[in-house]
């Protein structure tokens, strides 16, 4: 017996319900997929933003590190250059006439005079080169001491008989020169009771260096050592202060001789005849203390320097060309066995070293 068939209207309702259920499933799957993709996008977006922030931060950090490293590297390069650069106060030899052509251009009367003076040095005195000396208020002392050391000149005879390191105390305790405490070390105006210790160290350095240079027979080795010594400003200035003190000591010694009616060299009579240097104290206060600070050596000081070191200092004074004062010697009447050194000056204030 056949089963009863459903009414047509019931079958239509069943057919309409079946597709609706499938549509809900599709919608649910689409929604879930959309939500998953949205979540993944948000996560990816956050990761990308974090990565971008990290990259930007890294770039900023490394940029700052680069700038800092560059600044520090530049500072260290400058420091090492200052530390190890040999800033020679006596330069290497240069051709005399080339130096003249570079320094004295133009057609003024003074320029023409200087060119003629340099030509005179070249052709008549056979000076081929010149060593430029640092222009400061020590340059006369520097020019003289450089040649003493580079030529290996020995100690003055009186220095061989005395321990010059003990001379500061000798002036104080043996001769009562307590005014020595007012001695000025170039720009350093006053040192008080410490002056003896400072002077002793300066004179001791002079003695040590002089002994060392005098013991070297090789000319080129002495030249190399001079380049080293005269690129150290601190050591240089101690040596120049020692030379100043040696001059003061000689002035004091001769002054004591004059008081006992002994015959003294004429240059010292000229020195003590001036109101500003009538005795060792006034000579120190009015003249010697300024050397290295506000002025260099005067002509009378050059006489004393040559006498104290027992060297004949020949100076070509270029601004006095065509006069009897073009070539002068300090002192004028040195002993025959005194070694000779030469300087040239364009104005009696700054000196250079001629090379024959």
């Amino acid at each position: 017996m056949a089963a009863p068939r459903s009414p047509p209207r019931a079958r239509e309702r069943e057919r309409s319900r079946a597709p609706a259920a499938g549509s809900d499933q599709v919608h649910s799957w689409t929604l879930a997929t959309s939500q998953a993709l949205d979540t993944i996008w948000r996560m990816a977006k956050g990761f990308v933003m974090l990565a971008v922030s990290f990259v930007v931060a890294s770039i900023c950090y490394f940029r700052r590190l680069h700038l800092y490293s560059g600044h520090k590297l530049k500072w260290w390069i400058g420091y090492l250059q200052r530390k190890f650069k040999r800033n020679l106060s006596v330069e290497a030899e240069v051709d005399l006439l080339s130096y003249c052509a570079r320094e004295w251009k133009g057609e003024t009367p003074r320029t023409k005079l200087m060119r003629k003076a340099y030509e005179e040095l070249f052709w008549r005195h056979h000076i081929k080169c010149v060593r430029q000396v640092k222009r400061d208020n020590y340059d006369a002392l520097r020019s003289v001491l450089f040649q003493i050391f580079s030529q290996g000149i020995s100690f003055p005879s009186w220095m061989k008989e005395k321990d010059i390191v003990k001379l500061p105390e000798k002036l104080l305790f043996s001769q009562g020169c307590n005014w020595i405490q007012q001695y000025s070390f170039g720009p350093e105006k006053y040192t008080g009771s410490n002056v003896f210790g400072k002077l002793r160290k300066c004179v001791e350095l002079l003695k040590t260096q002089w002994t060392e240079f005098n013991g070297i027979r090789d000319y080129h080795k002495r030249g190399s050592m001079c380049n080293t010594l005269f690129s150290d400003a601190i050591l240089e200035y101690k040596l120049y202060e020692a030379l100043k003190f040696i001059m003061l000591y000689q002035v004091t010694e001769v002054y004591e001789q004059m008081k006992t009616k002994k015959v003294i060299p004429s240059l010292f009579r000229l020195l003590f005849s001036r109101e500003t240097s009538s005795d060792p104290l006034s000579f120190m206060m009015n003249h010697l203390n300024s050397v290295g600070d506000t002025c260099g050596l005067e002509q009378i000081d050059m006489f004393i320097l040559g006498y104290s070191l027992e060297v004949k200092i020949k100076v070509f004074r270029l601004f006095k060309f065509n006069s009897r004062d073009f070539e002068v010697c300090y002192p004028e009447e040195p002993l025959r066995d005194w070694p000779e050194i030469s300087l040239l000056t364009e104005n009696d204030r700054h000196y250079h070293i001629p090379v024959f």
Side-chain angles (χ1 to χ4, degrees):
M1 184 170 181
R5 299 181 63 183
S6 300
R9 191 168 298 199
R11 287 197 299 269
E12 289 178 4
R13 284 199 298 268
E14 289 176 0
R15 284 197 297 268
S16 65
R17 278 199 301 266
S23 177
D24 289 343
Q25 291 178 357
V26 171
H27 178 73
S28 298
W29 182 84
T30 303
L31 181 62
T33 302
S34 175
Q35 290 176 345
L37 291 175
D38 186 60
T39 301
I40 293 172
W41 168 247
R42 286 199 302 269
M43 292 175 62
K45 184 178 179 182
F47 176 78
V48 170
M49 293 298 294
L50 181 63
V52 169
S53 300
F54 176 78
V55 171
V56 171
S58 299
I59 292 174
C60 293
Y61 171 78
F62 284 109
R63 184 172 180 272
R64 292 177 182 176
L65 181 62
H66 172 74
L67 294 174
Y68 176 78
S69 300
H71 174 74
K72 295 300 291 185
L73 180 62
K74 185 177 180 181
W75 184 89
W76 275 107
I77 290 174
Y79 171 78
L80 293 175
Q81 287 177 340
R82 294 189 300 270
K83 184 71 175 178
F84 296 104
K85 181 182 178 182
R86 300 180 68 182
N87 184 24
L88 296 179
S89 59
V90 179
E91 298 183 13
E93 299 175 7
V94 295
D95 179 75
L96 183 75
L97 295 182
S98 297
Y99 169 79
C100 171
R102 184 178 71 245
E103 296 293 322
W104 295 99
K105 300 176 182 179
E107 297 299 326
T108 65
R110 179 173 175 79
T111 298
K112 293 179 180 179
L113 179 70
M114 285 298 173
R115 286 203 293 263
K116 290 180 180 179
Y118 275 106
E119 290 173 1
E120 176 83 0
L121 294 182
F122 185 85
W123 295 110
R124 184 173 178 180
H125 297 277
H126 309 292
I127 297 174
K128 305 303 180 184
C129 298
V130 62
R131 300 187 73 133
Q132 292 179 259
V133 179
K134 180 180 178 180
R135 290 176 176 265
D136 61 13
N137 290 316
Y138 283 117
D139 62 355
L141 296 171
R142 180 181 293 110
S143 302
V144 170
L145 189 62
F146 182 90
Q147 292 186 78
I148 289 176
F149 284 175
S150 63
Q151 295 179 25
I153 295 174
S154 61
F155 277 111
S157 57
W158 69 271
M159 284 191 186
K160 297 176 182 178
E161 301 170 358
K162 299 180 180 181
D163 185 0
I164 62 174
V165 177
K166 298 179 180 179
L167 294 184
E169 287 85 352
K170 182 178 183 297
L171 283 185
L172 176 64
F173 298 113
S174 300
Q175 298 176 223
C177 302
N178 59 352
W179 44 262
I180 195 70
Q181 296 183 65
Q182 301 177 65
Y183 183 95
S184 290
F185 293 80
E188 188 176 349
K189 297 297 183 183
Y190 184 72
T191 53
S193 59
N194 191 40
V195 69
F196 301 102
K198 290 175 68 69
L199 280 174
R200 185 183 181 94
K201 290 179 180 178
C202 292
V203 176
E204 186 175 16
L205 177 65
L206 176 65
K207 180 180 179 180
T208 302
Q209 292 292 330
W210 201 328
T211 302
E212 185 175 2
F213 276 96
N214 181 240
I216 298 173
R217 292 292 170 256
D218 184 83
Y219 172 79
H220 297 289
K221 185 176 181 180
R222 287 200 306 268
S224 177
M225 290 180 60
C226 277
N227 289 339
T228 301
L229 177 61
F230 288 86
S231 61
D232 190 326
I234 296 177
L235 291 183
E236 270 195 87
Y237 296 152
K238 288 181 180 179
L239 294 173
Y240 305 145
E241 291 301 325
L243 291 181
K244 284 170 52 179
F245 173 75
I246 294 299
M247 294 169 61
L248 178 61
Y249 175 79
Q250 283 293 334
V251 169
T252 305
E253 286 285 287
V254 174
Y255 185 73
E256 294 298 319
Q257 296 172 10
M258 186 182 69
K259 290 197 300 185
T260 59
K261 306 302 181 181
K262 292 183 179 179
V263 178
I264 63 173
S266 59
L267 68 97
F268 287 97
R269 289 198 298 269
L270 175 62
L271 175 72
F272 296 133
S273 67
R274 301 188 304 179
E275 292 184 0
T276 57
S277 59
S278 57
D279 55 38
L281 172 59
S282 59
F283 170 68
M284 182 188 76
M285 297 297 295
N286 297 325
H287 298 277
L288 205 58
N289 276 355
S290 301
V291 175
D293 181 21
T294 59
C295 67
L297 296 184
E298 299 178 10
Q299 279 191 281
I300 186 66
D301 302 325
M302 297 290 286
F303 281 108
I304 298 171
L305 179 63
Y307 178 88
S308 302
L309 303 180
E310 293 186 359
V311 293
K312 177 183 177 181
I313 306 174
K314 180 188 290 185
V315 179
F316 297 98
R317 306 169 73 202
L318 303 190
F319 67 104
K320 294 290 186 179
F321 179 65
N322 276 342
S323 74
R324 58 180 298 182
D325 295 325
F326 174 66
E327 183 180 338
V328 297
C329 290
Y330 307 111
E332 293 178 340
E333 301 175 356
L335 299 180
R336 291 183 180 180
D337 59 346
W338 284 9
E340 179 179 295
I341 61 178
S342 299
L343 309 179
L344 65 85
T345 179
E346 298 172 347
N347 51 22
D348 268 353
R349 292 190 301 274
H350 299 294
Y351 295 84
H352 296 308
I353 299 173
V355 181
F356 293 85

